[in-house]
Amino acid sequence: MIIEFGEWLPDQPIINNPGVVTASGVYPAAKGYVAAAATKAIASSINGAPETLGGFWTTFSGSNRVFMGQAQNLYEISTGVGATASNVSKSAGAYSIATGDNWEFTKFGDFLLATGNAAATADGGDPIQVNDLSATSAFVDAAAGSPHAKHIATVRDFVVVGNTWDASDGVKESRVRWPGIGDHTAWTVSATTQADYEDLQTGGAVQRILGGEYGIIVQEHSVRRMTYVGSPLVWQFDEILPNIGTSAPRSVAQWGDLIFLLATDGFRVIKNGAESVEIGAEKVDRYFWRRVKESAIYKTTAAIDPRNSRVYWAYVDDDAGGLIPNKILVYAWNLGKWSELSIITNYLWTADVQDTVPEVMYADSGNAFRVFPSVYTAGQTGTIKTSFIEPNPRGHSMITRVSTLSSMAATADSSNSVKINHRRDMGLNAGIAEAQVSFGFQTGHGTYTGRANNRFHQIEFGVAQQNDPTTAFYGVEVDWIFSGGRR
């Protein structure tokens, strides 16, 4: 009997599941799964609450530039293993990003703009910060008259900010504002420069702004598209997802015309600024909502792995305890498949990529910067569990041998493991417990042998750290014999 490692579908039953019930420590492949690469440290620790971290990776004059922010400071990180972090704040300890907020960045011409919070203090928190990339200097406050803002992006020839504060109107959580066309310093409202603002009357606070040829505004309870129409309106705002938004601003990530988010009703992707697809429905949505710590949903963060067409969501798994994201859901958008990683992540970032293709980065439990998954070294431990099967309908069967179907040499399979979870009753009624048998690897044969005698069986395949991340695992071939009559 051949059992393929199908799509990971934890929302489906554990018996007769059309896919697998566990796919941890691996990445989806067109057929089966591939081993997950190890992570690699690239920069030393930066002090400060990891919740305020945010980053940006770009190129300027042919050189990679990496920036990172935390509650009190902004840093530029030299790229490469053992990288150092240089403080490029306007002055040391200059900022006060509130817990729950984080830095966002956007590149506008030769300038990098950063913003983090609009209302952390009575005066609206920290001003927008501006760095002249051509001068490799420290950040400075934005031009006089500019608002403070939680969110920022570049849309066409405009800087656009949202969830703002200014001295005249105070906090405006649902306001979207922009300076003059082609000028990030001209914030005075003017029909000539086209600088203006829009107060969105429904949908709640602005949670993220995504840029490009058009803008996407994600609110608490709505998603809108902003389309440039010129003077006098400047922008047209169309609601594309009424009543659906996000409570986790950092769960929103963009690659090209794809915008991924943890929405009110589950995981979604918005395509071309118009079409919305529920990518987690009946697959991982219920699994996520069962496990995520309710009070820490806002800590869910997303990152793009463009080289492998994957998006990652790090979240706080309530079963594991604590308040730091400790599990990652992985979605391969070119395949429409999911898997998960168990790793202490703190917070992921891809730095709202512009001009270059970075690797996914994160801060580990010590706030040191690490990168994955494009580092091709021996990787993480993983587990793939099949659905429970019943080889002998309403009767017992004994599994005696399991052979792995993979791209690796048979003799190399000794580093992995096979266990059989078996039970007599799928409801585990009347105290009938589940048992587990570890099968032994047979050197020279590339198989695992043992004896697991019961009615229902599940194959648990363990992926060892020694596996190269290019190794694919497609499924298992199971040998079994009849071992009992009907119940």
Side-chain angles (χ1 to χ4, degrees), residues 28-364:
K31 190 175 182 65
Y33 297 86
V34 295
T39 63
K40 179 176 69 174
I42 65 164
S44 57
S45 175
I46 287 179
N47 295 326
E51 296 174 31
T52 60
L53 289 171
F56 191 85
W57 181 318
T58 187
T59 57
F60 188 82
S61 296
S63 298
N64 286 330
R65 304 285 295 275
V66 181
F67 294 86
M68 173 68 82
Q70 52 84 244
Q72 294 83 33
N73 293 295
L74 288 163
Y75 298 88
E76 182 165 5
I77 302 171
S78 61
T79 55
V81 178
T84 58
S86 301
N87 193 324
V88 290
S89 307
K90 62 180 180 182
S91 61
Y95 312 116
S96 55
I97 304 300
T99 299
D101 290 331
N102 65 281
W103 287 100
E104 293 182 13
F105 300 79
T106 192
K107 185 181 174 188
F108 189 77
D110 291 349
F111 297 92
L112 181 66
L113 281 69
T115 189
N117 57 354
T121 62
D123 66 352
D126 298 304
I128 296 171
Q129 295 297 289
V130 181
N131 186 287
D132 185 346
L133 294 171
S134 66
T136 62
S137 57
F139 281 87
V140 297
D141 289 346
S146 62
H148 301 183
K150 283 190 177 183
H151 308 294
I152 192 167
T154 298
V155 186
R156 288 179 61 102
D157 298 321
F158 293 84
V159 171
V160 179
V161 298
N163 202 325
T164 66
W165 174 95
D166 62 58
S168 299
D169 296 338
V171 175
K172 292 292 184 180
E173 291 185 332
S174 59
R175 176 169 290 182
V176 177
R177 187 169 173 180
W178 56 93
I181 186 169
D183 187 350
H184 67 279
T185 68
W187 289 94
T188 302
V189 174
S190 166
T192 301
T193 67
Q194 300 186 43
D196 208 340
Y197 63 86
E198 178 81 7
D199 288 328
L200 306 174
Q201 300 304 314
T202 60
V206 173
Q207 300 284 64
R208 282 296 298 273
I209 302 173
L210 295 311
E213 183 64 18
Y214 51 83
I216 294 293
I217 304 166
V218 182
Q219 299 173 258
E220 293 173 298
H221 310 294
S222 180
V223 179
R224 285 179 163 85
R225 172 175 170 146
M226 55 185 299
T227 305
Y228 180 71
V229 294
S231 295
L233 295 178
V234 188
W235 297 101
Q236 175 178 309
F237 294 84
D238 297 302
E239 191 171 38
I240 59 176
L241 278 179
N243 303 317
I244 294 175
T246 187
S247 57
R250 297 186 66 181
S251 75
V252 185
Q254 180 181 23
W255 185 252
D257 62 356
L258 301 176
I259 294 173
F260 302 92
L261 73 155
L262 171 60
T264 311
D265 58 348
F267 293 98
R268 285 178 175 260
V269 60
I270 299 170
K271 301 179 179 180
N272 301 313
E275 178 189 3
S276 174
V277 179
E278 299 173 73
I279 57 176
E282 294 301 318
K283 294 185 177 184
V284 302
D285 280 351
R286 289 197 298 274
Y287 175 83
F288 172 80
W289 294 123
R290 283 197 308 268
R291 301 188 68 93
V292 67
K293 191 176 187 67
E294 191 73 25
S295 62
I297 290 175
Y298 76 94
K299 295 186 176 185
T300 303
T301 64
I304 299 292
D305 172 13
R307 289 190 176 95
N308 296 292
S309 300
R310 301 179 189 132
V311 57
Y312 296 58
W313 278 281
Y315 69 97
V316 179
D317 185 340
D318 202 18
D319 289 350
L323 289 173
I324 294 175
N326 46 37
K327 185 157 287 189
I328 299 174
L329 290 179
V330 181
Y331 178 68
W333 70 74
N334 59 336
L335 304 173
K337 295 181 179 180
W338 293 83
S339 69
E340 66 178 346
L341 305 176
S342 294
I343 183 171
I344 301 300
T345 61
N346 281 0
Y347 296 87
L348 296 168
W349 59 284
T350 37
D352 292 332
V353 186
Q354 290 182 337
D355 301 337
T356 189
V357 181
E359 296 163 318
V360 175
M361 298 181 70
Y362 72 96
D364 66 16

